[in-house]
Amino acid sequence: MNQTESFLRILPEVILTVTGVVVMMIEAVLPRASSRKPLGWMAILGVLAALYASLRQALLVPGTAYSGLIQTDAFSVFFHVLICGIVLVTLLVALDSLQGAVDNQGEFFALVAFGAVGMLLMTTASELLLVFIGLEISSISTYIMAGLRKRAAKGPEAAIKYFLLGSFATAFFLYGVALIFGATGTTNIASLASLLPQSQTPVFALVGLAMILIGIGFKVSAAPFQVWTPDVYEGAPPATVGLMSTAPKAAAFAFLLRILYGAFPAYHVHWVPLIWIMAALSMTVGNLGALRQQNVKRMLAYSSIAHAGYLLVAFAALSADGVAAASFYAASYAAMNVGVFAVISHVGGREEKIVTVGDYRGLAYRSPLLGGMLAFFLISLIGIPFTGGFFGKFYVFSAALHSGLVWLAILGLFNSGIAAFYYLRLLTSAYSKPSETQPMESIARVTPALLVALLLTVVATLILGIVPNQVLGSAKAGAITFYPDASNANAIAVKH
Amino acid sequence: MNDSILTWITLLPAAGAVVVALLPRRGQVIQWFTLLVMLATLGLALHLPAHFVPGQGGFQFEVNRAWIASPNIHYHLGVDGISVWLVVLTAFLGPLAVFASWKAIATRTKEFYFLLLLQWTAMIGVFVSLDLFLYYGFWELSLVPMAIAIAMFGRDRGPQAALKFFVYTFLPSALFLVAILWLYAKTGSFDFVVLQQALASGNLGATPQALTWVALAFLVAFAVKVPVFPLHGWLGDVISEAPTGMAMVVAGKLGLYSILRFNLGLFPAQAKQFAPWMIALAVIGLLYGALVALVQKDLKRLAAYSTMSGLSFCTLGIFSFAIAGIDGSIYQILSHEISGSALLVLLGILYERFGTYDIASYGGLAAKMPRYATLFVVTSLSLIGWPILNGFVGEFLVLSSSYGVHAGWGAAATIGVILSAAYMLWMVQRVFYGPTSSLVAGKGSPDLLFREAIALWPVAVLMFIMGVASPAWIRLIDPTVTALVGTIERAPSPSSFPRTVAAQTIPGGEKR
C-alpha cells in the first residue's frame, strides 16, 4: 500500500480540517466589526476542494488504509459527495442569513467544516472506535450550532437539551462498542462478520448492536428516540437546521448500513424486527405529531422524524435494492429539506418573525420566487412524481415490496397520505390571499448566494425526480460493497 | 409527425407554462399568449381524429422509448378509440378555460395561467400515457396546479376546499401506487400492453384475492376523482370555490377514463366482481346528486351536484359491460364535459355582472339579457338530455343498456333523468322568468358581449352537431369498445373464482 494512495483516502477529511483551523485562526485576528463573509467563502472553497477529493476517490480501487482504520469504496464516496453537497449549500445560505443573527459568525463556518470532518469519518471508518470519534466530532459541532443564537431565548435551551440527550446517546453507542469488543475481541467492522460466528457470547454482541441502534436512533431522530427533535429544531437557527436534519443523519444512516449489512448480516433475524418497529413508529409518530404543529420549524422537525422512518423501511428490505434505496432516499431528502430550510430561514429573517403556518399566509403574493420555491420543495416532500421526493419513496417502498414487506409499505404510503395534509396546510397558507388585518412583515431581498443555493437544491431535486438513473447507479454501486455477488440489481440475497 | 404528435400535444402547454413564467406582467400579454398556446394545442389535437384509423386495433400514434432504466420505465404514449376524443375534448376546453378566466382572474395572472397550462399538460398526459408509471406521474401532477389554483384564486373558502380536494384524492392514490408497485414486482414492467397480456394469461402467480385487492385499489383511486357516491365529499366545495377555468375540468373525465382503461382493460374479471356494487352506487349517486341539486340555493353548488348526477350515468354505462352502454358512457363524458363547462362559464358571466351565485337574488333575467338566456336554455336542455342535443345520445345509450343488465336499476336511473329536468328547468324558471328581482332591475348590465358570444356560440353549435351527428364520434370509439367488451366477456365471471367456488361448494344447503 503506497503512502500517496493511503493519503488520498483521507484527503477530504484533511482538507476540511485544515480549512476549519485556518478559518478559526483568521477569525481570531479579524477586527470585531469587519464582515465575516470572506471566511464563509474560504470555507466554501474548502468544501469544494473536499468534494473534488471525494470524487477523486472514486477512481481508486476500493480498499482500506491506515491499518484498516478507514475504508473507501463506492459507498463511502456516495455519502462523501452527498455530505459535501449539503455542507456547501448550507454555507451559501448561511453567508447572508447568519450575518448579525448570531455572534461569531466566523466560528460557525469553522464548526461546519469540523462537523463535516466528523460526518465524513463516520461514512468511511471501518473501525467502530473511529466511528465513535467521528460521531462525537460531528455531534459536538452540531450542539454548538444549535445554540449559536445566545440571545434568543430558545437557543441555549435547545443546545443544552440536545447536548444532554446526545451525550446519553453517544454513551449508549460506546457501551455497545465495548460489548461487541468483549464478545468478539475486535472493533473492526469487516472482521466482525467473520469473528461473530466464532464468538462464545454472541448475545453480548447483539446487545451491543441494540445499544448502537439506540445511539444511532437518537442521532437520526427515529422513534422512540425522537423527543429532542422538535425543541432543538425550533431553537436552532434555520440555516443550520437544514444541515442538522440531513448531513449528520446521512452519515449515521451510512454507518448503520455498514454495520448492519457489513458486520451483522447473519443475525438479521434479530435486528430486522427492531428496524421494522423503529420504521413503523417513526413514520406514524412523526406524521401524527406534525399534523398538530402550528410552528413551521416544529412541523418540519416532526416530518424529519417521519422521513427517518421511511428510510428505515429500506433497511428492513435486506437486499442490494434496499441499500441503494436508502442511499438514494438520503440524497433526495437532503436536496429538498436543505432547500425548504433555506427558504424558511430567509423568510423568517434574522428575528424569526414569520414562524407559524398562519404567518406564511400570502407569501406567494409578496415573493412569487420564494413562494414558488417553497411550493416546489413541499411538493417534493409530499412525494409528487417528477421530483426527488417521489423517487426516494418509490425506491424505498418498491424495495420493501420486493422483500415481501407489504404491510410496512402500505403503512408507509398511508403515512405519506397523512403527511400530504400538513405540507399542504403550509402550501395553501402560502398561496392564500394575504389578509388585510394582519400586517405584513417585510421579507429581505433574495441575495445572489441564496439564489445559487436555492437553484442548486431545485436542480438536484429535479434531477433526482426526472433522470434518477445516474444517482441510483451510484447508490447501487455503493450497495455492491455489501452484496458483491449482486451486480444483478434485483438479486435478493442475504449474506450468511 | 405521427410518432411525435402526442408528445407535442402533451408538452406544448407545459412549455407554454415555462414561457408564461418568464413573460412580463404587462397588459394582457399573458392571456393572449395562453390562448395562443391552447389554440395551437387544439389544432394539433385535431390531427388525431383526422388520421385515426378506426378498427385498426391496438394503440395509434404510439411512441415508446426507454426512459429510466431502473425501475424499467418507458416513455410510452398512444391513443385508442377510448382516449382519442378525450384528448381532443381536453384540448377543446383549453381555449374555453382561458376565456372563462379572462376577466375573472384580474390579479396574479402570471401564476394563474402558469397553473392552468400545467394542469392541461397533466390531463392530456393522463389520457395518452401507456406506461403505468408515467400515467401515475401525470395523475398526481394533475392534483397540484388544481389545488394551488383553488387555494390562490378560489372564493373565500378556497384554501380549505383545496386541502379537502388534495387529501381526498391523494390518500387513495397512495394505495393505488402500492398496487402499481405490486404489479411491477410481479411482472417487472409498467407497460400497459405488457401488463394486460400478463394479467390475461393468468401466469402472475398471484391469488385471485390479491388481484381483487389490487383492482380495488385502482378503482377507489379513480372513483374518488369521478366522484362516485359516497366519495363525493370534496366536489361541492371544490366546484363552488374554484375559479371557473379550473372548476370546468375538476371532475369526471380523468376518473372515468381511468376506470375504463385500467379496471376494465387490466382487470376485466375483477371489474365483473365489482359491477353490481358499482351499478348500485352509480344509481344512488345519480339520484342523490339530483335530489341535492334540487334543494341548492347557490347556482354553482347546483352545477356541482348536477355534475355528480350526470357523471353517475357514465359509471352506470361503463359497468353495464354492453357495447352500447360503454359507447354511450364515453359519449356522455364528452358531451357532459362540454355542456357542464359551458354552464360554468355562463354562471361565471352572471357572477361578473351581478356578483352573486344566489338563486333567490335573480329573477326575470330573460327580458333583460335575451341572448344570454337563449344560450343558457340551450345548455340546460343539453344537460338534461333533450333530443337533438348532445346530452341525449349518451343518456339514451346508457339507459337502454342498463335496462338490459338489470331493469330495476335502469328504471331507477330513469327517475334521475326526470329529476334532472326538474332541477335544471326549475332553476331556469327562477333565474330567467317570473318577476324581475331588484338586483337584476337595479343594474344596467349588458347582454352577451361580442367576446363572450365568440367563445360560447361555437360550443352551442357543437352541442347541436353532437346531438344529430353522433356517428362521427362513435365511429372511432366503437371498434375499441367492441374489443374491450369481448375481453370482458371472455374473462372468468365472478362465480368461477376459487373463493366463490369454494363458498358455493360448501354444502350450505345440506346443513339447513
Side-chain angles (χ1 to χ4, degrees), chain B residues 196 200 268-269 272 321 481-494 496:
Chain B
Q196 196 175 29
K272 275 190 197 170
F321 300 140
V481 170
T482 310
L484 181 68
V485 170
T487 52
I488 295 169
E489 277 166 2
R490 282 193 300 280
S493 59
S496 69

Side-chain angles (χ1 to χ4, degrees), chain A residues 361 364-366 368 375 379 382-386 390-391 393-395 397-398 401-402 406 409-410 413-414 416-418 420-421 424-425 427-429 431-433 465-469 472 476 489-490, chain B residues 25 67-71 73 107-108 111 115 133-134 136-138 140-141 143-144 147-148 151-156 158-160 162-164 166-167 170-171 174-175 177-178 180-182 184-185 190:
Chain A
R361 187 162 176 177
Y365 289 79
R366 278 179 278 168
I379 283 166
I382 293 172
I384 299 289
F386 310 126
F390 174 75
F391 269 113
K393 274 191 192 138
F394 179 83
Y395 290 134
F397 293 131
S398 46
L401 283 174
H402 248 294
V406 178
I410 290 183
L413 281 159
F414 192 70
S416 28
I418 301 178
F421 191 78
L424 278 170
R425 222 165 30 126
L427 185 59
T428 47
S429 176
Y431 274 88
S432 302
K433 289 185 194 86
I466 297 175
V467 278
N469 280 349
L472 187 73
K476 283 200 163 148
N490 287 327
Chain B
R25 299 174 186 275
W67 172 27
I68 294 171
S70 170
I73 299 170
T107 54
R108 304 281 150 196
E111 282 82 352
L115 295 169
F133 188 92
L134 192 62
Y136 182 81
F138 282 120
E140 292 287 86
L141 188 64
L143 306 182
V144 178
I148 295 182
M152 219 174 166
F153 301 95
R155 286 201 272 170
D156 299 339
Q160 287 95 314
L163 207 58
K164 204 168 177 181
F166 198 98
V167 172
F170 188 78
L171 267 175
L175 285 178
L177 181 62
V178 178
I180 296 180
L181 292 181
W182 185 88
Y184 180 72
F190 287 113

Side-chain angles (χ1 to χ4, degrees), chain B residues 52-92:
Chain B
F52 189 88
V53 187
Q56 186 180 298
F59 292 95
Q60 300 182 28
F61 310 105
E62 255 184 293
V63 49
N64 193 354
R65 291 201 188 91
W67 172 27
I68 294 171
S70 170
N72 181 18
I73 299 170
H74 283 244
Y75 177 75
H76 188 184
L77 308 181
V79 287
D80 63 357
I82 298 175
S83 49
V84 62
W85 286 118
L86 290 166
V87 175
V88 180
L89 169 74
T90 310
F92 176 78

Side-chain angles (χ1 to χ4, degrees), chain B residues 85-132:
Chain B
W85 286 118
L86 290 166
V87 175
V88 180
L89 169 74
T90 310
F92 176 78
L93 293 176
L96 201 60
V98 176
F99 162 76
S101 319
W102 201 271
K103 272 191 81 182
I105 308 294
T107 54
R108 304 281 150 196
T109 47
K110 184 187 263 198
E111 282 82 352
F112 182 81
Y113 289 102
F114 176 81
L115 295 169
L116 191 76
L117 287 166
L118 210 58
Q119 180 74 21
W120 251 252
T121 280
M123 290 191 301
I124 296 174
V126 164
F127 293 130
V128 298
S129 300
L130 292 178
D131 183 284
L132 235 69

Side-chain angles (χ1 to χ4, degrees), chain A residues 82-208:
Chain A
L82 174 58
I83 291 167
C84 287
I86 298 171
V87 170
L88 180 67
V89 174
T90 308
L91 287 171
L92 283 170
V93 174
L95 267 184
D96 298 297
S97 77
L98 279 191
Q99 212 169 23
V102 300
D103 315 320
N104 317 326
Q105 200 194 2
E107 255 171 43
F108 171 82
F109 296 127
L111 279 171
V112 170
F114 288 138
V117 172
M119 298 168 210
L120 294 185
L121 274 180
M122 283 174 75
T123 65
T124 189
S126 62
E127 178 69 37
L128 287 174
L129 282 172
L130 190 60
V131 174
F132 177 74
I133 292 169
L135 185 63
E136 282 292 71
I137 296 176
S138 88
S139 298
I140 289 172
S141 47
T142 38
Y143 300 152
I144 305 173
M145 278 184 231
L148 268 180
R149 292 183 303 177
K150 286 178 218 140
R151 280 162 296 179
K154 289 199 168 145
E157 186 196 326
I160 298 262
K161 211 175 240 175
Y162 196 15
F163 173 66
L164 282 178
L165 290 171
S167 307
F168 274 114
T170 37
F172 267 106
F173 185 92
L174 196 56
Y175 279 126
V177 174
L179 279 171
I180 289 176
F181 180 71
T184 61
T186 184
T187 48
N188 187 295
I189 298 177
S191 355
L192 268 174
S194 54
L195 285 173
L196 264 172
Q198 300 161 25
S199 168
Q200 304 288 318
T201 49
V203 70
F204 282 126
L206 285 173
V207 173

Side-chain angles (χ1 to χ4, degrees), chain A residues 171-493:
Chain A
F172 267 106
F173 185 92
L174 196 56
Y175 279 126
V177 174
L179 279 171
I180 289 176
F181 180 71
T184 61
T186 184
T187 48
N188 187 295
I189 298 177
S191 355
L192 268 174
S194 54
L195 285 173
L196 264 172
Q198 300 161 25
S199 168
Q200 304 288 318
T201 49
V203 70
F204 282 126
L206 285 173
V207 173
L209 180 67
M211 292 185 127
I212 286 180
L213 262 183
I214 295 177
I216 295 295
F218 173 88
K219 292 294 169 194
V220 301
S221 55
F225 315 109
Q226 87 293 359
V227 278
W228 58 276
T229 319
D231 296 335
V232 173
Y233 284 17
E234 190 186 353
T240 70
V241 182
L243 176 76
M244 281 161 53
S245 65
T246 51
K249 286 190 185 178
F253 276 123
F255 160 68
L256 201 58
L257 280 171
R258 236 186 231 286
I259 188 164
L260 290 179
Y261 282 79
F264 284 83
Y267 292 85
H268 65 92
V269 200
H270 299 286
W271 56 259
V272 164
L274 296 180
I275 297 284
W276 207 106
I277 293 169
M278 271 166 87
L281 264 182
S282 303
M283 291 191 289
T284 315
V285 169
N287 282 322
L288 292 182
L291 272 184
R292 299 175 48 229
Q293 303 305 319
Q294 286 307 319
N295 182 301
V296 172
K297 274 162 81 189
R298 285 184 80 85
M299 186 182 96
L300 288 170
Y302 276 102
S303 107
S304 84
I305 298 169
H307 282 280
Y310 299 133
L311 213 153
L312 283 170
V313 171
F315 276 68
L318 276 183
S319 63
D321 279 356
V323 178
S327 311
F328 188 93
Y329 198 99
S332 73
Y333 179 63
M336 57 201 181
N337 215 44
V338 172
V340 89
F341 273 107
V343 174
I344 282 174
S345 90
H346 186 74
V347 170
R350 262 159 224 165
E351 264 104 65
E352 283 216 278
K353 280 187 178 151
I354 298 179
V355 283
T356 67
V357 174
D359 293 343
Y360 275 77
R361 187 162 176 177
L363 172 69
Y365 289 79
R366 278 179 278 168
S367 169
L369 175 72
L370 287 171
M373 295 277 184
L374 182 70
F376 176 75
F377 291 124
L378 288 174
I379 283 166
S380 180
L381 282 164
I382 293 172
I384 299 289
F386 310 126
T387 62
F390 174 75
F391 269 113
K393 274 191 192 138
F394 179 83
Y395 290 134
V396 164
F397 293 131
S398 46
L401 283 174
H402 248 294
S403 304
L405 300 168
V406 178
W407 282 110
L408 200 54
I410 290 183
L411 186 67
L413 281 159
F414 192 70
N415 260 296
S416 28
I418 301 178
F421 191 78
Y422 58 80
Y423 289 130
L424 278 170
R425 222 165 30 126
L426 180 57
L427 185 59
T428 47
S429 176
Y431 274 88
S432 302
K433 289 185 194 86
S435 65
E436 275 130 36
T437 51
Q438 176 194 345
M440 290 193 203
E441 297 293 343
S442 62
I443 298 173
R445 213 169 46 81
V446 175
T447 57
L450 179 68
L451 194 64
V452 171
L454 284 173
L455 282 179
L456 280 177
T457 45
V458 166
V459 168
T461 310
L462 273 179
I463 286 178
L464 291 165
I466 297 175
V467 278
N469 280 349
Q470 185 68 39
V471 180
L472 187 73
S474 311
K476 283 200 163 148
I480 287 175
T481 307
F482 310 109
Y483 287 90
D485 44 346
S487 38
N488 154 20
N490 287 327
I492 304 166

Side-chain angles (χ1 to χ4, degrees), chain B residues 291-427:
Chain B
L291 286 171
V292 177
L294 206 51
V295 297
Q296 290 306 314
K297 297 188 173 73
D298 183 289
L299 283 167
K300 240 184 163 181
R301 284 197 161 260
L302 187 143
Y305 284 100
S306 105
T307 301
M308 181 184 170
S309 186
L311 293 170
S312 296
F313 265 108
C314 306
T315 318
L316 182 64
I318 290 173
F319 282 92
S320 71
F321 300 140
I323 297 172
I326 297 180
D327 281 352
S329 279
I330 298 173
Y331 206 76
Q332 173 75 352
I333 300 173
L334 301 175
S335 62
H336 194 280
E337 294 273 338
I338 291 171
S339 311
S341 302
L343 178 68
L344 286 174
V345 174
L346 285 163
L347 292 180
I349 292 175
L350 211 56
Y351 189 77
E352 277 170 26
R353 304 274 200 280
F354 299 102
T356 177
Y357 285 115
D358 183 33
I359 298 178
S361 311
Y362 292 100
L365 206 59
K368 201 155 181 193
M369 301 171 72
R371 278 175 291 159
Y372 175 85
T374 315
L375 269 178
F376 199 100
V377 171
V378 170
T379 307
S380 305
L381 290 178
S382 147
L383 278 168
I384 63 180
W386 205 57
I388 79 155
L389 285 175
N390 57 350
F392 175 74
V393 183
E395 249 178 43
F396 177 79
L397 287 172
V398 168
L399 282 177
S400 59
S401 19
S402 66
Y403 271 108
V405 178
H406 193 290
W409 289 125
T414 316
I415 298 176
V417 178
I418 300 168
L419 284 174
S420 79
Y423 65 74
M424 285 308 285
L425 294 179
W426 190 34
M427 186 258 280

